Amino acid sequence: MDLRILFLIMFGCFYTGWGEGLPVQYEELTSPELVAAVHLSGGTIVIPLGILEKHGPHLPLGTDLIHVREMVFRAVKQEFSVVFPPYYFGQIYEARHQPGTIAYSPDLVWRLLQETCDELYRNGFRKIILVNGHGGNAHFLSYFCQSQLSVRKNYAVILFKPEEDPVVEAKIKKLRATATDGHAGETETSMMLAHRPDLVHLDRCRDEPGEDRNRLSGLPYADTGIWWYARFPNHYAGDGSEAKEEIGDLILDSGAGQLAELIRILKQDDRILELQDRFYEAAGAPIQMFGVE
Ligand SMILES: [Zn+2]
């Protein structure tokens, strides 16, 4: 074995600077380097999750994946962790009517993520951080995390939950020009301008309307799967033509800073795993364990 790698495995956590020599992308690591990366990352790994779906008439199908990976790369530059390969399997049934959507069946989407986590654990990672880049995944990923308590796991799944930074929000508010801003709108188009301007077609932003059609108005107290199609049938919410690179950088850097902090803390902090262990033990024998916290 390469002496450098052996040294990394033995002392990696004390010589974090050496991590700069390791690729952060899982698929770019050699097998011996992976062993070192598991140690250097403190057992953490990040899965950025995106999707393949229409993003208005002017952004690429993989927009969410391209954005979330950029944000994660900015984070792991600050705090080393391993980044899982492009992952575009998730909830996107509401865009099946638009060309380019790849929508796997619900049970496959679930199993793929669970087995990916299982395999990462088998390869030494114990703290799996999901970083979501796709709005349609939000409920699925929360439920996925919660469901990890249903069967004993020796690893933790952590969903990254970025928080609004009032300073960043105020700066964005000053720069923003449009009032309605959602899917493929001003903010999302700005993010692409910030790191992949070659993929933005600003001249096509108004080829289709992105206004809220509100076709289920007058139906209160109801949630239904067709709600998004009812409001935004073009799978476009807002107007991307006012996008600005500065807005994109503010969002990407703010998310990256918070994610880097989470990785840094998780490397040292084993409380999730410890509490899970206690919980699974109690859940296996609730009567015998009654009163034990
Ligand atoms: Zn998107």
Side-chain angles (χ1 to χ4, degrees), residues 11-170:
F11 304 110
C13 48
F14 304 112
Y15 292 88
T16 47
W18 282 45
E20 286 156 23
L22 284 177
V24 293
Q25 298 190 54
Y26 189 99
E27 68 274 30
E28 292 186 2
L29 291 159
T30 65
S31 188
E33 280 176 341
L34 175 90
V35 181
V38 168
H39 286 265
L40 200 60
S41 70
T44 66
I45 184 162
V46 181
I47 308 180
L49 295 105
I51 207 83
L52 296 172
E53 59 168 339
K54 178 181 176 184
H55 267 79
H58 62 290
L59 290 176
L61 296 167
T63 291
D64 291 351
L65 187 62
I66 295 167
H67 284 334
V68 72
R69 287 180 65 79
E70 171 66 15
M71 195 269 276
V72 169
F73 288 141
R74 290 185 189 198
V76 297
K77 250 186 218 160
Q78 298 171 45
E79 186 66 39
F80 181 83
S81 189
V82 179
V83 181
F84 193 76
Y87 194 98
Y88 51 87
F89 318 100
Q91 189 296 118
I92 187 52
Y93 308 113
E94 65 275 21
R96 286 179 62 233
H97 64 304
Q98 293 288 357
T101 300
I102 300 292
Y104 296 98
S105 59
D107 56 336
L108 181 61
V109 168
W110 188 285
R111 283 190 51 209
L112 205 52
L113 189 54
Q114 192 71 72
E115 291 195 21
T116 300
C117 292
D118 290 347
E119 282 297 278
L120 290 174
Y121 169 65
R122 199 175 61 77
N123 279 286
F125 296 101
R126 298 180 69 215
K127 297 165 183 175
I128 300 169
I129 305 166
L130 308 180
V131 180
N132 185 27
H134 167 53
N137 267 347
H139 298 300
F140 160 56
L141 292 178
S142 284
Y143 183 44
F144 181 83
C145 274
Q146 193 64 50
S147 75
Q148 299 305 298
L149 298 184
S150 67
V151 180
R152 177 181 271 277
K153 301 277 186 318
N154 293 317
Y155 60 83
V157 178
I158 301 114
L159 179 59
F160 172 56
K161 274 179 75 176
E163 286 179 16
E164 261 190 20
D165 178 331
V167 178
V168 174
E169 285 308 310

Side-chain angles (χ1 to χ4, degrees), residues 167-189:
V167 178
V168 174
E169 285 308 310
K171 285 184 189 167
I172 292 174
K173 211 174 161 190
K174 266 193 192 159
L175 290 164
R176 264 186 53 183
T178 57
T180 307
D181 182 22
H183 185 71
E186 185 180 352
T187 301
E188 214 171 5
T189 308

